[in-house]
Amino acid sequence: MKSFTRDLIIWIEENLDKKIILDEVAEKSGYSKWHLQRLFRQETGMKLATYIRERRLSESAILLKMTSAPVIHAAEKFGFTNQQAFTRTFTKYFCLPPARYRQTREWHFRGLQPSLLSTAGTMLEPETTWLSAPALSDVTFSYQCESADLYSIDFHTEQREQGLKKAARLLRGQSPTWFAERFEPDSSSGNIRLTLTFGCREDKDERGGKKTSSPCMFLRFPFEGSAAELTEMQMNVYRHILPRRAEARRDGHDLFIMGPGHEANLISSHFQGDYYIPVTAI
């Protein structure tokens, strides 16, 4: 991708919550509006106006699914003139009105347009596997996230590290080797509530948990790296990998399980394991 197109996409991503007028973009770029759109389509295969509209709709869908923010807030945040126009456009694109999209128990990611800057292509494709989820203990830690911090790697990494330290104390000095994570809208604040549950290897079998439930379907993503890199991978999975998959995310916890025999733990600067997302086949 040429540097001009890349810079243009970066600018678009940074301004999705602002009014983007193609005439103004063309004037700033030094190209005519027609030539600007032609260059963009040659480089990306998409019309410039289509990309902007679909990125706004995609980010609004994520906001609706992960928070309890009013529909009008999503409409205003992503540049729609009013709630009626937003609902009409959203419904035509996702085949569901915003309120029903939010209420669906399973999250179908089809239709979400990833950023064209996505580096997800460098990630290994996940494999479908069946797993008995861990028996969740009382070693939990929850925190609230404002929509502005949803994609902040540092924020989420710091929150998880605080939870890990708390869990290590409650586990009498043992280092957690797996965690389960669940997100849900917090209706009282309009924010996102994330709940983390931690456990040790002794709490689970070789597949990751006590056999207290029947095996269920998950997507498995191998991982090796730092805590911040794990957070970044989680974000890439939701924003760039799942929209290209046929499965839907079902209700349940995401899981991260340290690899068997790996000497490091989740508090280490470098560790490896597998990240699982609960899904159903479509």
Side-chain angles (χ1 to χ4, degrees):
M1 184 182 293
K2 294 180 181 178
S3 60
F4 168 76
T5 306
R6 183 175 180 82
D7 290 344
L8 175 58
I9 295 171
I10 291 174
W11 184 84
I12 291 171
E13 293 296 321
E14 292 175 346
N15 289 275
L16 287 174
D17 59 346
K18 301 178 179 65
K19 189 172 183 179
I20 299 176
I21 301 175
L22 293 186
D23 289 322
E24 295 179 357
V25 176
E27 184 179 349
K28 290 179 181 179
S29 71
Y31 293 105
S32 69
K33 184 170 125 178
W34 178 85
H35 189 58
L36 175 69
Q37 293 180 92
R38 187 173 68 86
L39 286 175
F40 188 87
R41 189 165 189 175
Q42 284 180 341
E43 283 278 302
T44 67
M46 292 188 71
K47 292 182 179 179
L48 179 56
T50 299
Y51 177 71
I52 295 171
R53 182 179 67 255
E54 292 185 0
R55 285 293 297 129
R56 282 177 162 166
L57 287 169
S58 297
E59 291 300 314
S60 70
I62 293 173
L63 182 67
L64 289 171
K65 200 69 178 177
M66 299 191 72
T67 77
S68 59
V71 174
I72 185 61
H73 174 72
E76 292 175 345
K77 180 176 176 62
F78 293 103
F80 289 86
T81 54
N82 54 61
Q83 184 171 333
Q84 290 73 25
F86 172 70
T87 298
R88 183 170 57 252
T89 306
F90 189 99
T91 303
K92 183 178 180 180
Y93 186 70
F94 288 108
C95 300
L96 281 175
R100 285 190 59 194
Y101 184 92
R102 160 178 275 164
Q103 293 166 0
T104 54
R105 189 170 180 83
E106 295 178 342
W107 190 353
H108 298 266
F109 284 77
R110 58 179 178 266
L112 294 185
Q113 171 61 54
S115 165
L116 291 176
L117 296 176
S118 167
T119 58
T122 62
M123 295 175 60
L124 294 175
E125 280 296 309
E127 68 172 15
T128 303
T129 187
W130 291 80
L131 181 73
S132 293
L136 301 184
S137 67
D138 293 330
V139 183
T140 62
F141 173 81
S142 64
Y143 65 95
Q144 286 198 8
C145 169
E146 297 181 356
S147 58
D149 291 322
L150 181 58
Y151 300 130
S152 171
I153 294 173
D154 291 341
F155 174 76
H156 292 289
T157 302
E158 181 182 352
Q159 295 296 325
R160 189 168 64 237
E161 288 180 347
Q162 290 181 16
L164 283 166
K165 292 175 182 177
K166 173 184 175 183
R169 291 195 300 270
L170 294 175
L171 292 169
R172 300 180 181 179
Q174 297 183 76
S175 297
T177 55
W178 64 266
F179 70 84
E181 182 175 79
R182 184 185 184 92
F183 64 83
E184 57 188 348
D186 189 317
S187 57
S188 63
S189 65
N191 296 330
I192 308 158
R193 177 173 293 279
L194 293 100
T195 302
L196 300 170
T197 302
F198 301 93
C200 297
R201 195 173 305 281
E202 291 74 13
D203 296 333
K204 61 186 190 312
D205 63 21
E206 69 276 4
R207 293 297 302 279
K210 293 179 180 178
K211 296 181 179 179
T212 57
S213 61
S214 300
C216 296
M217 183 184 290
F218 287 82
L219 289 181
R220 182 179 74 88
F221 297 82
F223 171 80
E224 181 174 3
S226 66
E229 288 170 331
L230 175 59
T231 305
E232 183 178 14
M233 187 188 79
Q234 289 177 279
M235 294 183 182
N236 280 333
V237 165
Y238 273 89
R239 300 182 73 192
H240 308 307
I241 297 295
L242 292 181
R244 298 187 174 102
R245 301 284 304 188
E247 300 87 357
R249 188 193 185 280
R250 59 180 169 80
D251 191 32
H253 292 74
D254 289 6
L255 304 170
F256 182 80
I257 301 171
M258 295 283 294
H262 194 58
E263 296 182 359
N265 57 62
L266 289 168
I267 306 180
S268 304
S269 59
H270 188 92
F271 52 87
Q272 68 180 51
D274 293 297
Y275 175 54
Y276 297 88
I277 292 184
V279 295
T280 56
I282 302 299

